[in-house]
Amino acid sequence: MTEETLTKEGLKTQEYFVNMGPQHPSTHGVLRLMLELDGEIIKKVIPHIGYVHRSIEKMCEKDSYRQIVHITDRMDYLSNHMNNEAVCLLVENALEIEVSDRVKVIRTIMSELTRLSSHQLWWGVMGMDLGALTTFLYGFRDREMINDIFEETCGARLTMNYNTPGGLMFDIHPNFQRRVKEFVAHFKTKLPEYDALLSDNVIFRNRTEGIGVLSKEDAISFGVTGPTGRASGFSNDIRKHKPYSAYDRVEFKEILMETGDTFSRYKARILEMWESLSIIEQLIDNIPEGEIQSPAVKAVIKLPKGEFYQSVETARGELGVYVVSDGTKNPYRVKFRSPGFSNLFVLNHLAQGYKIADLVAMMSTIDLVIPDIDR
Amino acid sequence: MSAVATYFKDIFQGLKTLLTGMKITGYYFSHARKEIITQQYPENRDTLKMFDRFRGRVVMPHDENNEHACTGCSSCELACPNGSIEIMWERIVDPETGKKKKIIDKHVYHHSMCTLCNLCIIACPTDAIKMEQTFEHATFDRKELTMILNKPGSKVRKDVEE
Ligand code: SF4
Ligand code: SF4
């Protein structure tokens, strides 16, 4: 609390703290933000994290490399497939094993489907945060089709554990290609609806345009990656800069915006959905034949002594996995560089001088997933 | 633009976007039969079919002679990241050869600790366990979630290699 001051009318005024969260609908989880307020103007945002800390990194130290994959589902549960892929790619690179083209293509399709489903959910809750419940229902309706595809092929809707070091757990389901094509055709008719409902809405525009501007320099120095950073013009797409899986054989644009305000972060994700659809379309008809599990990976995986790093592009930004191996079947140390953690701490910088309602809009477009921040 | 002109422009734009939104809502209202995907659960319980790869819980299939394929090799126990499987075995004397051998006594499965990751199913060399597609697993007592997968009095199938 600061000192009381007197306004010119002679009223006493004072800065004060308000806790936003840990149970606040717009934090999308158990995140507590301490807001230092002057009236309704935000002076400072202090994030308090750790409410869903499960010490995943420590748990990884007791697990074998096969078992680590399934824990990563629980970090950023909306980018589950990419998290799995990151660990698998790390193990494959460390063992110097090349997986078949079939595995690469299927992994890429799955990752893009995950990105779409994550962005659909984000779009739904973004509308809801700003007071439009309709978008929530529409976003979840389209996400349901992707969840069905996952359920049929991977056996689960959220914690899929479909990638294994050296390949995939099962081959794709016979219905997979048909269903994905149906989904792409369906979603292409629905995505313009998203624009009509929200992107062109006057109220929505007024609440997002020019709010919370993040400059390119700040995006780089805060380490803001993913669509949030690209909306400020910071080119950081791992799929482009360090292509993995089948991203080097598809054509897609890295979505870069200039203004860096809340609306351009919104727009970047909408445009990314179109890119994801185009990547899926390019691959779905030419899934090459090949084995789905590389025989070079043994039942007990031992990485050579040393340090390994692998990064992938999740729906929220760059996920890095860093493993120190001492040559045994368990890693000596695992560290995840999660995109949500870096993106969260830009909030204080963005929100200063804005109102609480603007903070909700900014938080939505940063697209926070709390288990990813806490791990 | 003068303040008055902006004021009226805002009102008209507001009305326009309102109508755009209402048009979409109106479409779904009039095409409800075609577009609604909501299912009436639990009314549709009888017709509701899960996908055949859906992971509900681990079960051990038994054939008509009350025999299963589990040799008690503990591969699933080792593969499990959460310690949800405990294999209890015993030593018996094989009546044919007179040698001592290890057989499965109890295959204990803690459903409450299982994350349904499928690693045990993949690890099993004899395909003795599989995933069941049920999903209504809530119970009033936590103890009910600890199950013994091999049925009482069951044996290992003859053709299963150790
Ligand atoms: S599904 Fe996974 S967690 Fe469950 S018993 Fe099998 S290995 Fe363990
Ligand atoms: S279920 Fe399979 S892996 Fe587990 S003990 Fe029996 S035979 Fe071995």
Side-chain angles (χ1 to χ4, degrees):
Chain A
M1 291 268 170
T2 53
E3 291 291 301
E4 290 183 1
T5 48
L6 287 179
T7 60
K8 50 180 187 297
E9 290 86 17
L11 297 171
K12 277 190 217 155
T13 136
Q14 193 178 26
E15 285 180 10
Y16 62 108
F17 287 109
V18 164
N19 272 319
M20 190 167 166
Q23 296 295 342
H24 189 279
S26 79
T27 56
H28 303 178
V30 277
L31 169 71
R32 173 171 153 227
L33 297 174
M34 242 164 90
L35 310 181
E36 212 178 298
L37 298 171
D38 175 13
E40 217 191 330
I41 310 287
I42 295 167
K43 292 273 166 193
K44 207 172 176 189
V45 182
I46 309 163
H48 285 254
I49 58 169
Y51 289 90
V52 279
H53 181 72
R54 291 142 300 166
S55 68
I56 282 184
E57 289 171 8
K58 191 72 192 167
M59 270 154 73
C60 291
E61 288 172 22
K62 71 144 183 57
D63 279 345
S64 72
Y65 291 99
R66 278 181 197 285
Q67 294 170 343
I68 288 175
V69 177
H70 106 287
I71 307 183
T72 57
D73 278 335
R74 275 116 187 125
M75 291 195 320
D76 179 356
Y77 49 82
L78 295 178
S79 307
N80 35 29
H81 209 90
M82 292 91 129
N83 296 353
N84 290 174
E85 194 174 353
V87 178
C88 296
L89 287 171
L90 181 129
V91 172
E92 284 149 19
N93 289 347
L95 296 175
E96 290 168 5
I97 286 167
E98 182 84 2
V99 294
S100 70
D101 278 358
R102 186 176 179 80
V103 173
K104 285 183 184 170
V105 168
I106 294 174
R107 277 181 181 175
T108 310
I109 296 174
M110 285 293 184
S111 291
E112 288 311 311
L113 283 174
T114 315
R115 192 182 316 279
L116 275 171
S117 88
S118 167
H119 284 357
Q120 283 165 344
L121 187 137
W122 157 82
W123 181 82
V125 291
M126 161 120 206
M128 198 172 66
D129 285 347
L130 300 183
L133 189 71
T134 318
T135 60
F136 182 75
L137 300 173
Y138 286 11
F140 268 72
R141 171 199 63 194
D142 300 332
R143 189 166 175 269
E144 188 58 31
M145 285 185 86
I146 301 190
N147 273 346
D148 274 351
I149 296 171
F150 285 151
E151 201 177 333
E152 192 169 42
T153 288
C154 316
R157 295 159 65 87
L158 204 61
T159 53
M160 292 181 284
N161 192 24
Y162 183 56
N163 287 318
T164 56
L168 305 168
M169 198 160 260
F170 329 97
D171 202 352
I172 49 172
H173 196 274
N175 289 342
F176 178 76
Q177 274 161 307
R178 180 178 60 80
R179 268 180 188 270
V180 171
K181 276 187 229 161
E182 269 171 20
F183 164 73
V184 171
H186 165 86
F187 195 51
K188 275 190 164 170
T189 63
K190 297 298 175 193
L191 204 42
E193 236 173 48
Y194 283 26
D195 274 333
L197 272 175
L198 210 53
S199 322
D200 299 336
N201 188 292
V202 171
I203 303 171
F204 179 78
R205 285 259 182 155
N206 285 343
R207 285 197 63 180
T208 51
E209 269 173 347
I211 303 287
V213 180
L214 177 69
S215 69
K216 184 176 172 183
E217 289 69 34
D218 287 335
I220 293 173
S221 58
F222 276 100
V224 178
T225 50
T228 319
R230 289 197 284 277
S232 305
F234 170 29
S235 161
N236 58 31
D237 200 330
I238 308 290
R239 296 175 291 170
K240 273 271 185 242
H241 294 292
K242 287 180 232 154
Y244 53 94
S245 293
Y247 283 114
D248 47 359
R249 70 183 78 168
V250 287
E251 270 179 38
F252 68 102
K253 276 207 305 285
E254 179 179 3
I255 305 293
L256 286 177
M257 313 290 272
E258 275 152 20
T259 39
D261 61 350
T262 303
F263 185 73
S264 58
R265 287 194 284 274
Y266 168 87
K267 200 73 196 163
R269 290 204 174 82
I270 294 279
L271 294 175
E272 258 193 22
M273 287 204 242
W274 285 110
E275 292 304 317
S276 294
L277 283 176
S278 115
I279 294 177
I280 294 172
E281 274 190 328
Q282 289 173 47
L283 292 175
I284 192 67
D285 275 324
N286 1 321
I287 301 180
E289 290 300 315
E291 57 198 356
I292 55 148
Q293 179 69 43
S294 157
V297 182
K298 303 204 183 63
V300 178
I301 300 169
K302 285 186 182 164
L303 292 200
K305 242 190 184 130
E307 299 174 20
F308 306 97
Y309 184 76
Q310 175 70 43
S311 56
V312 296
E313 180 76 21
T314 72
R316 256 146 282 279
E318 173 180 352
L319 172 81
V321 187
Y322 173 70
V323 168
V324 181
S325 163
D326 53 0
T328 56
K329 65 180 174 43
N330 302 338
Y332 178 74
R333 174 81 171 94
V334 179
K335 158 88 186 135
F336 294 106
R337 182 245 181 249
S338 66
F341 186 79
S342 314
N343 294 3
L344 166 70
F345 284 92
V346 81
L347 209 53
N348 179 33
H349 175 74
L350 287 185
Q352 279 170 15
Y354 289 99
K355 304 245 163 61
I356 297 182
D358 295 330
L359 176 70
V360 171
M362 286 172 217
M363 235 174 6
S364 273
T365 48
I366 291 178
D367 197 9
L368 301 171
V369 165
I370 313 302
D372 182 41
I373 296 166
D374 285 349
R375 275 160 283 144
Chain B
M1 226 187 300
S2 72
V4 179
T6 325
Y7 178 75
F8 280 108
K9 198 176 144 245
D10 278 357
I11 290 183
F12 278 116
Q13 269 196 334
L15 277 176
K16 200 183 128 216
T17 49
L18 177 71
L19 288 177
T20 321
M22 294 297 276
K23 204 175 115 197
I24 295 174
T25 313
Y27 168 78
Y28 286 109
F29 188 71
S30 55
H31 293 70
R33 216 171 266 282
K34 188 176 139 220
E35 297 281 354
I36 284 183
I37 58 156
T38 320
Q39 296 178 9
Q40 296 300 326
Y41 177 81
E43 285 82 359
N44 68 346
R45 251 204 197 128
D46 301 333
T47 51
L48 185 65
K49 197 175 168 304
M50 302 305 284
F51 293 113
D52 37 336
R53 284 184 191 173
F54 177 75
R55 306 203 282 263
R57 71 166 178 209
V58 179
V59 289
M60 186 182 287
H62 287 60
D63 63 10
E64 61 278 7
N65 307 326
N66 202 14
E67 288 178 336
H68 54 73
C70 174
T71 58
C73 70
S74 297
S75 294
C76 51
E77 190 180 7
L78 286 173
C80 179
N82 310 311
S84 333
I85 294 179
E86 283 174 74
I87 306 290
M88 302 186 180
W89 44 265
E90 56 184 0
R91 275 189 202 285
I92 54 149
V93 179
D94 196 322
E96 282 164 29
T97 56
K99 278 194 209 133
K100 275 191 179 167
K101 71 168 193 176
K102 245 163 73 172
I103 60 149
I104 179 107
D105 177 22
K106 287 192 190 107
H107 187 297
V108 185
Y109 167 55
H110 300 276
H111 192 190
S112 48
M113 296 202 287
C114 174
T115 49
L116 303 169
C117 65
N118 213 38
L119 290 175
C120 52
I121 316 284
I122 297 249
C124 180
T126 55
D127 290 334
I129 42 180
K130 69 177 186 72
M131 282 289 178
E132 197 185 39
Q133 278 73 44
T134 53
F135 57 92
E136 292 168 336
H137 292 143
T139 58
F140 283 104
D141 190 353
R142 195 165 59 182
K143 288 195 199 92
E144 287 168 37
L145 292 173
T146 298
M147 303 161 210
I148 296 169
L149 293 191
N150 54 337
K151 291 192 189 146
S154 60
K155 288 202 302 285
V156 189
R157 252 203 315 274
K158 278 270 158 10
D159 54 343
V160 175
E161 291 291 312
E162 290 268 328

